[in-house]
Amino acid sequence: MRNSILLLFAALFAASVRAQSIDIIPRPQALTEGKGTFRFSAKTAIVADPELRRPAELFAADIQPVVGYRISIAEKGTVSLSVDNTLEAEEYSLAVTPKNIRILGGSPRAVFYALQTLRQLVAPDGTVPAVIVRDKPCFAHRGGMLDSGRHYFSVEEVKRFIDMLAMHKLNVFHWHLSEDQGWRIEIRRYPRLTEVGSIRKQTVIGRYDKSDESRNRYDGTPYGGFYTQADIREIVAYAAERYIEVIPEIDMPGHMLGALASYPQLGCRGEGYEVWTHWGISKDVLCAGKEATFEFVENVLAEVLELFPSKLIHVGGDECPKERWKECPACQKRIREEGLKNENELQSYFMHRVEKWLHQHGRELIGWDEIMQGGISQSAVIMAWTDQVRGTDAARNGNRVIMTPKWNCYLDYAQTSEPEKLEPIGPTRYLSMRQVYRLDPYDRLKPKEYENILGIQGNVWTEYIADFEHLQKMALPRMAAIAEVAWAYDRKDYDDFEIRAKRLLPTLYKNAGFKFARFFFLNIE
């Protein structure tokens, strides 16, 4: 049945040519332009299988600001949505004729992606160009990370970030929830984590000068915020409706001052901890020599697992200085008793224990590439951020890898080559749209090693991003380049992408109510 329908549409478009005027991001696998247009009106209705009703409702809500009316969901209509089990889980076909629109997807998720494509094609007058699109993604993991540790974003703002991911067909929300500057997740067994650990007494103004503290200025205003467990359940459910998996990150054993200020017995020194008021890497980390530390970690993760159904649980593992461990009798005792060579192997011991516990509870460990220090099991998933070489090494070792090298994927980096003149204060490293697009997740790998690359991810760290409007302008439009590499790696063409992006994205973002940076559209680099 499906083949006959596609043959019928192919016949209708026999005289068509490759579309040059239809802009879609990410670039679809196949696109054929037809003749004429379909027109939405207030009388248009969508016919959807029961399991597709929610995607249809979300689409109707998305295009209402564009066309000025709400499309209804009914038993009869000219727009039809169906699941076709002969297609792959994320594969879809979208066929538009002047008379109707037909969407087939291998799953409800695939139908949702087709509707995101259709959303890009709907003009303000309700017209949609006649077209056939057949599409599926290249990578399984297509992610975006939000750091809520340095700066807190409200529940509604987090949902809007999820909306940004969804419209780009990204399917993973990596949520960074604990930091030296604030603990952001309610853990009922440890109430001081939010009573104490979520609040810093003030925040540094501008860049922090670690060489001379006297030069730094602070705003003198307490800063805090955290997500209740009810908030988190609401956000996870919101993401699930948009076919986005939420992977939580509880960073350990470093970046833990929020926890140490709340429960100082968990540190090597056992006292003198405060939630940091500036940025950087603290020498104070969880004590790996105390059993109480592992009891704390397991109890925290037990509540995390109740809130997040994701198979992967991110435990950070990055930027963990070893000075305190070298000075700590308990850590040195642990090294001797476990037959470890050094503090790097102590970190490996820490990660192996946490991974074993996660496996016992049906989950898997994912961490930043520093978890490879001292050795890591092949079952751990590596998120390569320091450079792509570490990801390549991990893939060759047999680990599954998500490529997110800072030189391509850190969306808080400057968008122009002269940021101090043109942009708000922030990192001075320059990450152009072209450089994001240049990422090749398979670089220097052999074809047999490709299967170890799960995908890619764009990250938004928020040391210098204190409000949601600024966050949007850092993520957009560069998130579109992340999306195209993740979805359409096998058909990348930057010159073509730039043309489509400049024609499509300003209107798309404006219709969705998103703020975005204009440097790329004004050819300012």
Side-chain angles (χ1 to χ4, degrees):
M1 179 65 179
R2 180 179 72 90
N3 289 335
S4 62
I5 291 173
L6 293 178
L7 287 171
L8 174 61
F9 279 120
L12 291 173
F13 293 99
S16 65
V17 297
R18 171 68 177 89
Q20 299 298 321
S21 59
I22 296 178
D23 301 316
I24 297 171
I25 294 176
R27 187 180 186 179
Q29 190 175 52
L31 185 155
T32 306
E33 188 175 6
K35 296 180 179 180
T37 59
F38 175 90
R39 183 180 294 275
F40 279 97
S41 73
K43 296 180 180 180
T44 302
I46 300 175
V47 180
D49 297 341
E51 60 185 332
L52 302 177
R53 184 174 182 87
R54 187 55 179 154
E57 291 172 343
L58 292 173
F59 170 76
D62 286 337
I63 69 166
Q64 183 174 357
V66 180
V67 298
Y69 45 81
R70 186 66 174 259
I71 303 300
S72 63
I73 316 299
E75 293 184 1
K76 294 182 179 180
T78 52
V79 181
S80 63
L81 315 179
S82 299
V83 170
D84 182 343
N85 293 325
T86 66
L87 298 173
E88 295 179 22
E90 292 191 301
E91 183 181 7
Y92 71 85
S93 67
L94 163 66
V96 181
T97 73
K99 293 183 178 181
N100 55 46
I101 296 175
R102 171 72 162 158
I103 288 175
L104 299 172
S107 68
R109 177 192 300 268
V111 171
F112 179 81
Y113 297 146
L115 290 169
Q116 298 310 304
T117 297
L118 181 58
R119 177 183 180 183
Q120 295 183 16
L121 299 176
V122 179
D125 63 358
T127 59
V128 182
V131 67
I132 295 176
V133 177
R134 299 175 188 173
D135 203 8
K136 63 180 179 179
C138 291
F139 289 104
H141 183 111
R142 307 182 300 278
M145 189 280 294
L146 174 61
D147 166 23
S148 289
R150 275 59 175 238
H151 282 101
Y152 168 83
F153 296 91
S154 71
V155 171
E156 291 307 311
E157 288 168 340
V158 174
K159 288 180 178 179
R160 289 295 282 159
F161 186 79
I162 291 170
D163 290 339
M164 290 163 58
L165 301 178
M167 76 184 302
H168 290 90
K169 302 189 182 85
L170 299 176
N171 65 347
V172 176
F173 171 37
H174 171 185
W175 199 6
H176 189 79
L177 287 165
S178 65
E179 258 307 332
D180 291 325
Q181 294 80 16
W183 184 281
R184 304 290 177 222
I185 175 173
E186 178 190 19
I187 302 297
R188 291 173 178 165
R189 185 158 181 164
Y190 299 102
R192 288 178 60 82
L193 287 172
T194 46
E195 292 170 359
V196 176
S198 69
I199 303 168
R200 57 178 180 261
K201 63 183 179 181
Q202 58 185 352
T203 304
V204 67
I205 298 172
R207 290 194 179 86
Y208 176 68
D209 186 349
K210 63 181 179 181
S211 65
D212 186 354
E213 176 61 40
S214 66
R215 295 182 180 180
N216 294 305
R217 295 182 300 127
Y218 294 83
D219 60 14
T221 303
Y223 183 94
F226 67 91
Y227 305 97
T228 67
Q229 294 199 0
D231 291 337
I232 289 171
R233 287 191 175 93
E234 180 180 339
I235 288 168
V236 169
Y238 187 90
E241 282 193 327
R242 289 148 184 83
Y243 302 95
I244 291 174
E245 179 182 33
V246 185
I247 296 179
E249 180 183 354
I250 308 298
D251 206 344
M252 61 182 78
H255 290 287
M256 266 286 177
L257 276 178
L260 294 177
S262 307
Y263 297 94
Q265 68 271 23
L266 298 174
C268 294
R269 293 191 296 134
E271 61 182 3
Y273 306 113
E274 289 187 352
V275 180
W276 253 13
T277 57
H278 56 267
W279 323 125
I281 303 172
S282 173
K283 294 180 181 179
D284 286 303
V285 301
L286 291 177
C287 179
K290 297 176 180 177
E291 281 302 304
T293 295
F294 293 96
E295 179 183 355
F296 168 80
V297 167
E298 291 171 6
N299 289 336
V300 167
L301 290 177
E303 293 194 32
V304 169
L305 266 55
E306 291 178 359
L307 298 169
F308 296 93
S310 59
K311 186 73 171 178
L312 295 176
I313 302 296
H314 206 302
V315 297
D318 61 309
E319 298 176 330
C320 179
K322 309 300 189 294
E323 286 90 339
R324 299 295 187 226
W325 289 356
K326 290 178 180 179
E327 302 164 355
C328 175
C331 288
Q332 291 304 308
K333 181 181 178 184
R334 177 83 72 187
I335 288 174
R336 291 193 301 271
E337 291 180 346
E338 296 295 333
L340 307 176
K341 295 179 181 178
N342 51 38
E343 288 74 22
N344 280 341
E345 289 198 0
L346 181 58
Q347 177 163 329
S348 177
Y349 166 85
F350 188 105
M351 288 299 163
H352 279 295
R353 275 192 68 165
V354 175
E355 182 180 33
K356 181 179 179 181
W357 185 90
L358 287 172
H359 285 175
Q360 289 171 347
H361 292 79
R363 308 298 181 93
E364 297 182 17
L365 180 145
I366 179 173
W368 302 107
D369 54 49
E370 287 98 326
I371 68 173
M372 298 166 65
Q373 294 174 358
I376 192 68
S377 69
Q378 282 191 335
S379 56
V381 178
I382 308 300
M383 191 165 274
W385 77 275
T386 55
D387 58 44
Q388 192 164 338
V389 173
R390 290 196 185 184
T392 301
D393 290 343
R396 287 173 177 165
N397 186 54
N399 290 85
R400 291 163 295 162
V401 176
I402 296 162
M403 290 294 189
T404 180
K406 59 188 177 182
W407 312 115
N408 305 92
C409 298
Y410 272 31
L411 303 184
D412 52 298
Y413 282 4
Q415 302 182 72
T416 67
S417 58
E418 297 182 292
E420 294 182 353
K421 294 181 180 179
L422 298 172
E423 301 184 54
I425 189 169
T428 57
R429 287 174 173 165
Y430 170 39
L431 179 59
S432 68
M433 182 80 89
R434 184 183 293 273
Q435 180 62 15
V436 177
Y437 201 88
R438 189 173 284 139
L439 174 63
D440 180 355
Y442 293 144
D443 186 37
R444 288 173 289 184
L445 287 172
K446 298 177 181 178
K448 65 180 181 180
E449 297 163 336
Y450 289 178
E451 65 181 17
N452 291 331
I453 304 301
L454 298 182
I456 74 167
Q457 179 171 291
N459 302 322
V460 185
W461 298 101
T462 63
E463 287 93 335
Y464 300 102
I465 303 175
D467 63 80
F468 191 62
E469 180 173 335
H470 187 189
L471 187 151
Q472 293 173 76
K473 290 181 177 179
M474 297 308 293
L476 304 178
R478 291 181 294 182
M479 186 179 283
I482 291 287
E484 179 135 318
V485 176
W487 183 280
Y489 167 79
D490 61 353
R491 44 196 181 272
K492 281 190 358 174
D493 180 333
Y494 181 77
D495 291 338
D496 179 68
F497 168 78
E498 184 173 354
I499 292 169
R500 284 179 285 117
K502 288 183 175 179
R503 288 194 303 219
L504 172 66
L505 294 180
T507 300
L508 182 67
Y509 294 156
K510 182 179 178 181
N511 288 341
F514 290 126
K515 305 295 183 181
F516 59 94
R518 299 182 182 273
F519 304 115
F520 168 73
F521 303 105
L522 298 175
N523 295 318
I524 297 173
E525 294 188 354

